[in-house]
Amino acid sequence: MPGDPVRGGLAQELFTLKKDPLPPMARPRLLARLPHVLVVYAAVFFGSLTSTQLQDHYDVHDPSIVLLSLFTGFSLVIAMFRPIGAWWLGLLNAGFIAWVIRDHVGQGQAWPWTAIGPFSFAPLILLVALRVPPRVTIAVISVSVAAGAVAEGAFKPEKSRSSLLVALLVFGFAGLLGYALRAMRLARGQLVAQETIAEEERARRTLLEERSRIARELHDVVAHHMSVISIQAQVAPHLVENPSEELKENLAGIRQNALEALTELRRVLGVLRSEHPDDPANPHHPQPTLADLDGLVDNVRAAGLEVATEIAGIRRPLTPGAELTAYRIVQEALSNCLRHAPGSRVEVGIAYGPRELHLCVANSAPTRAAAPSPGAGHGLLGMRERAGMLGGELAAGPRPGGGYEVSAVLPMDLPGGAASGTDETEKAS
């Protein structure tokens, strides 16, 4: 039926000259072009073998056998780029060979395929099956065997022996092998694609989890400031003698907005904490600051690392968000040293500048092999998220002499530095 899409599609795929290069081997990379080398070798081998058999076994000394032998190998080379076109060329060449040897076939000699013919044609079937759907491979085998059957039924020499059964078995084996190899290649490609998607999903999920954790930790900071605003707005009328009604109303509005904001914060935090009930950053524990750095370093030393700390500049308290971010970055960097650089020497440097806080955690090369780590390998992602949240920067990489280094620069707003925050808001707007 001309309207049948399946038949129409099969006919189009059987009569196509589209380019479909033979894919290289994925692993190992050094042998990526091994299939192409083997095909060229097979082309030379079967081309020379065809010439030898036509002369020695069929006693054909026509000059055309040189051309037929060349086309036997040439069709295999073409099959690396245009498999269907090469198959038609090989089938046509096999027909010419059968016609040339027809008058030279002796008692019990194979025809229409020569004794070596099915084996020299089988690589074409294999190269086709590697790159086309199974139904096309079946059609290619069927047409090849049917062409031999038609030739045998119409032009078979009297003394010849049929070679159709051998051709059917050899072509069927080549088709099955090609189908299996093609299925393995497609499955491997799908597996690589799925692994890539899974890795992207893990990275995205880790990023969202880290942002959620940062949000839960910063809730206490924001809630504290909102509570202070609410209390100050409540107390302010009592600090002014004879406050006006307009002032009272404005302060009451400020207090009401602060309370509503606190309510929304608690509601959102409740949702976040319900998704992470075992998170250590719960409302009953105060958030750590750089003042707790000594305890963190002592714990790392107790775990077996030699840690040295150095603080430059005038040490002073920062905003709660900056304190928390700086502590978490140092904590994660030290954890990475424990996991990936056992036995190394670690240096922790903190420098208080006029406007920025500089952090540096560097370790020497490990003295022993690191144990397999169960972590997801996204610690740097979390540190960058924390630094970027404050408008800072974080860099990490191997040191020239061995080891690893994590450095961060965080904008430093002192507590009560509302002016700078206002300026930044105005610039952003």
Side-chain angles (χ1 to χ4, degrees):
M1 294 177 61
D4 192 335
V6 174
R7 292 188 180 182
L10 181 59
Q12 289 177 358
E13 292 186 77
L14 279 179
F15 295 94
T16 180
L17 296 177
K18 68 177 181 179
K19 192 174 182 180
D20 189 3
L22 181 66
M25 289 179 61
R27 298 175 185 174
R29 291 186 177 180
L30 292 177
L31 301 179
R33 294 297 175 181
L34 179 60
H36 303 76
V37 174
L38 292 178
V39 171
V40 173
Y41 176 79
V44 175
F45 175 76
F46 285 114
S48 60
L49 196 60
T50 299
S51 176
T52 300
Q53 187 174 65
L54 292 181
Q55 295 180 69
D56 295 346
H57 293 273
Y58 290 92
D59 198 25
V60 177
H61 299 284
D62 192 285
S64 62
I65 65 173
V66 177
L67 188 62
L68 295 175
S69 301
L70 289 176
F71 270 100
T72 299
F74 183 65
S75 61
L76 286 175
V77 175
I78 294 298
M80 291 192 294
F81 308 99
R82 302 180 188 273
I84 298 297
W87 166 69
W88 281 114
L89 178 62
L91 189 62
L92 184 63
N93 186 65
F96 277 115
I97 291 176
W99 181 261
V100 169
I101 67 173
R102 180 174 179 272
D103 296 333
H104 299 267
V105 176
Q107 182 67 39
Q109 289 185 318
W111 196 89
W113 298 94
T114 64
I116 195 63
F119 299 96
S120 62
F121 194 78
L124 284 175
I125 302 291
L126 175 63
L127 291 172
V128 169
L130 283 173
R131 284 168 286 172
V132 300
R135 62 190 182 92
V136 180
T137 300
I138 294 175
V140 165
I141 296 175
S142 301
V143 171
S144 302
V145 175
V150 171
E152 183 175 321
F155 307 105
K156 181 182 180 183
E158 294 181 0
K159 300 178 182 179
S160 66
R161 173 177 54 83
S162 175
S163 57
L164 291 181
L165 180 59
V166 174
L168 178 61
L169 294 176
V170 173
F171 296 167
F173 175 78
L176 286 175
L177 179 60
Y179 167 76
L181 294 176
R182 178 176 182 270
M184 289 176 57
R185 177 169 57 86
L186 293 178
R188 190 182 297 113
Q190 292 176 354
L191 179 61
V192 171
Q194 289 297 327
E195 289 178 348
T196 303
I197 295 174
E199 180 61 28
E200 292 175 353
E201 288 296 328
R202 281 195 296 269
R204 187 179 297 109
R205 185 170 60 250
T206 301
L207 177 62
L208 293 176
E209 290 176 353
E210 188 63 28
R211 288 179 177 177
S212 176
R213 181 185 176 194
I214 294 172
R216 296 193 304 274
E217 290 179 345
L218 290 182
H219 163 268
D220 292 340
V221 175
V222 178
H224 169 73
H225 289 300
M226 296 302 296
S227 299
V228 171
I229 292 173
S230 174
I231 294 172
Q232 288 177 337
Q234 183 180 15
V235 175
H238 302 285
L239 302 179
V240 180
E241 186 176 354
N242 299 322
S244 64
E245 291 298 325
E246 183 179 355
L247 177 61
K248 291 181 178 180
E249 290 179 1
N250 286 335
L251 292 173
I254 293 174
R255 172 175 168 75
Q256 182 62 31
N257 287 331
L259 291 176
E260 291 178 358
L262 275 173
T263 301
E264 293 299 326
L265 277 173
R266 293 191 182 101
R267 183 177 295 117
V268 173
L269 183 71
V271 174
L272 294 175
R273 293 197 191 280
S274 65
E275 296 177 354
H276 304 81
D278 299 328
D279 196 286
N282 60 64
H284 304 294
H285 290 80
Q287 298 295 350
T289 65
L290 289 177
D292 303 311
L293 186 61
D294 292 339
L296 175 63
V297 171
D298 290 340
N299 289 336
V300 175
R301 286 173 179 157
L305 280 185
E306 181 182 354
V307 184
T309 60
E310 182 177 353
I311 299 177
I314 302 175
R315 188 169 185 173
R316 53 198 184 275
L318 310 177
T319 57
E323 290 274 1
L324 176 61
T325 297
Y327 180 90
R328 291 301 189 197
I329 289 177
V330 175
Q331 182 186 43
E332 181 62 32
L334 290 175
S335 298
N336 287 341
C337 293
L338 282 172
R339 285 195 296 266
H340 305 298
S344 63
R345 186 177 186 279
V346 184
E347 297 177 355
V348 179
I350 301 176
Y352 290 83
R355 296 179 178 275
E356 295 175 331
L357 177 69
H358 296 261
L359 305 173
C360 180
V361 179
N363 64 273
S364 61
T367 58
R368 58 181 184 273
S373 174
H378 297 293
L380 289 176
L381 179 65
M383 287 190 281
R384 287 195 175 96
E385 280 292 309
R386 291 181 180 277
M389 177 187 64
L390 297 182
E393 297 179 352
L394 186 136
R399 305 173 71 184
Y404 204 82
E405 179 176 326
V406 175
S407 58
V409 179
L410 305 178
M412 189 169 60
D413 291 334
L414 298 180
S420 62
T422 304
D423 292 340
E424 292 298 326
T425 303
E426 292 175 354
K427 290 178 183 178
S429 60

